Amino acid sequence: MGHLVTIATCNLNQWALDFIGNQQRILESIRQSKLRGARLRVGPELEVCGYGCLDHFLEGDTDMHCWESLSEIIQHPDCQDILLDIGMPVKHKDVRYNCRLICYNKEILLIRPKLYLANDGNYYEMRYFTPWKGARVVENFYLPRSITKIMGQKKVPIGDALISTLDTCVGVETCEELFTPNAPHIAMGLDGCEVFTNSSGSHHELRKLHTRVELIVSATLKSGGIYIYANQQGCDGDRLYYDGCCMIIVNGKIVGQGSQFSLNDVEVVTATIDLEEVRSYREQKSRAMQARDQPKYERVEVDMSLSREGDGIDLHLRPTRPKEVSYYLPEEEIAYGPACYLWDYLRRAKQAGFFLPLSGGIDSCATALIVHSMTRLVLEGIQSGKNPQVLQDLHRICGEEENSTWKPKTPQEICNKIFCTAYMAMEKHSSSLTRQRAADLAEAIGAHHLEYAIDSVYDAQVALLQSTTGYEAKFKMYGGTKVSNLALQNIQARLRMVNAYTLAQLLPQIRGRREGAPGSLLVLGSANVDESLRGYLTKYDCSSADINPIGGISKTDLKRFIQWASKPETFGLSLLQKFLDAPPTAELEPITDTYIQSDEADMGMTYNELSVYGRLRKIHKLGPWGMWEELGRLWGDKLSPQQIYEKVRFFHWNYAINRHKQTTITPAYHMEAYGVDDNRFDMRPFLYPSFEWAYRKIERAITAMREAGTKVAGKEEQ
């Protein structure tokens, strides 16, 4: 007969240092797991304190509070008779490790430290933790007194070991270990481990989920086994959104998958699996030959079974059927990821809503649509009735009385209470078309919209400059210099930022927010990743905000998102086509019959080109020479080596002189793999020399090409 086991994994919306809330969510996930008959529950990485504690990991308080919280968890009545895999930092011999604690009935069976740490991109685990000493190394760990008091347990094995139940063997991996070429599950599986747990703190990145799923599936496709993946889900206090998608895989087939984006704080996924399927899958002589010679792991025995005991057969308990993995389109990822992030940010910041300078262009349009997507998700959460926390949070954000019975009926009703927009116009610089587009969009999504002329404050600033210095600054079309032309544009841009913050602070009160209800509006930025890469923004203008939901998204992807949102089967906003048809413009220079400012003309490059530069610079890790070489292969049928060199040189010149802007850029939702976040993801100098060495090398190469260096290659040459 088969040995049916029911196991549980989860997405938890943990918050860094929220020990009370984190514990409540852990306990709720355990309750739900037990209600569904699970005998093993796996949680996310560092779930007790939250993954994003950053330098707070270095504080003794964090270690102490983790042990205090864990002691309450393992004593809790709901946490008995189930094998628990819980994550938190542990200091052993004064060295801090990123650990999993395997617990059963008030006893810690094993502390399993992480062997391979994530230390690139957004991850700096080596700053806080040390990798464990090595595979299959096990020592004794002496427990804190708070734990000893519970059951009298004084010490526990710490290291790379396995858990032996009465019916199977469980091994532990943590996040990054799965991504390594020689992942621990390979050796564990060869030594007879049948169940693998992986607790992760993996963040959302556009088009990344496929890679993660393929790696998890491949973990058991070759050698069989049950793989249980848990992840955080939500904003835990930084630029990242952890995108859940907890999974259960058996022999390379997915039998359980959680949501990638959700407003739920706790989501539990369970599956019932026959252990005999794993054993029969492993009946291969080639595997047996490798397994025979596999160095053995120390095993910690526990007197419990994951499967039911006895000879009785429960006809209602059947193995969970495999399912197709569910993926979102990139446009849907943009719609739902930042929307869930904004909801978490708003409710945890305890503010009254959002404010956005709405210009009538693509970027602010996309930002407004993400807020609209958020209100749609909030309404869905309320109408489903499955998560009462959503309505409670909305009442608090809107300043409702404690006994309020208000229940919104449309996304627009929610939007009108928590989202304010303003078209900040200049009479001679702002067109009637952008003004109308902004007003139409605000009306369609339900935002409280203002038209806010800034001519008077702009004129006062220019007059102050002239009266103080005696210098009359002019736009270039009126005979001004490039410097004065840029200075006058920057005055407008920065005035919009100042007025945006003033409106954000006062609008709740102006609109009659209940006395005593806390909160102002959070200012949203709307600079895309390509403009930040190029530096096409004014330092301390409307790119300066509290949070930027599109700061990690390319212009190309934003256009695709807006096109998607215009369709009847999605958001049904047909007016969005007008935004897509309009040429991008900053509208910071006077408009005439023959001149309208153009973003791409000002930048000297297209948004599509910027995306290519960004990927080559960050993802492919190329400098000027490497970029020129690669672009020669990509663009050689359209441009000569000399023309490509001029483009590469112009990009790097702009990048270098504008890099300083990234030191003060608004925190942005991380989404694009070539993001330019200076504070965590893209660590670069902000004072650059010329790239003259590389330029001279390119020039010598072009000279050596002779005539071919200035000609576009034909098909034969290509």
Side-chain angles (χ1 to χ4, degrees), residues 19 23 27 66-77 79-80 146-147 150:
F19 290 97
Q23 185 189 89
L27 291 172
C66 283
W67 282 112
E68 290 167 346
S69 179
L70 180 74
S71 68
E72 293 183 6
I73 291 170
I74 63 177
Q75 289 182 85
H76 198 282
C79 299
Q80 309 310 309
S146 59
I147 300 296
I150 298 172

Side-chain angles (χ1 to χ4, degrees), residues 133-168:
K133 299 178 180 184
R136 300 182 303 281
V137 176
V138 180
E139 298 180 352
N140 283 323
F141 177 84
Y142 292 88
L143 292 163
R145 285 173 294 179
S146 59
I147 300 296
T148 301
K149 287 178 182 178
I150 298 172
M151 287 291 289
Q153 184 182 4
K154 294 183 178 180
K155 63 181 180 179
V156 61
I158 180 171
D160 187 26
L162 303 177
I163 299 292
S164 279
T165 66
L166 297 175
D167 56 350
T168 189

Side-chain angles (χ1 to χ4, degrees), residues 51 112 188 349 457 587 589:
Y51 183 84
R112 202 286 194 171
M188 291 178 187
V457 287
E587 289 196 338
E589 294 180 296

Side-chain angles (χ1 to χ4, degrees), residues 123-134:
Y123 296 103
Y124 295 91
E125 290 185 10
M126 291 284 283
R127 183 181 175 98
Y128 322 114
F129 303 110
T130 300
W132 182 242
K133 299 178 180 184

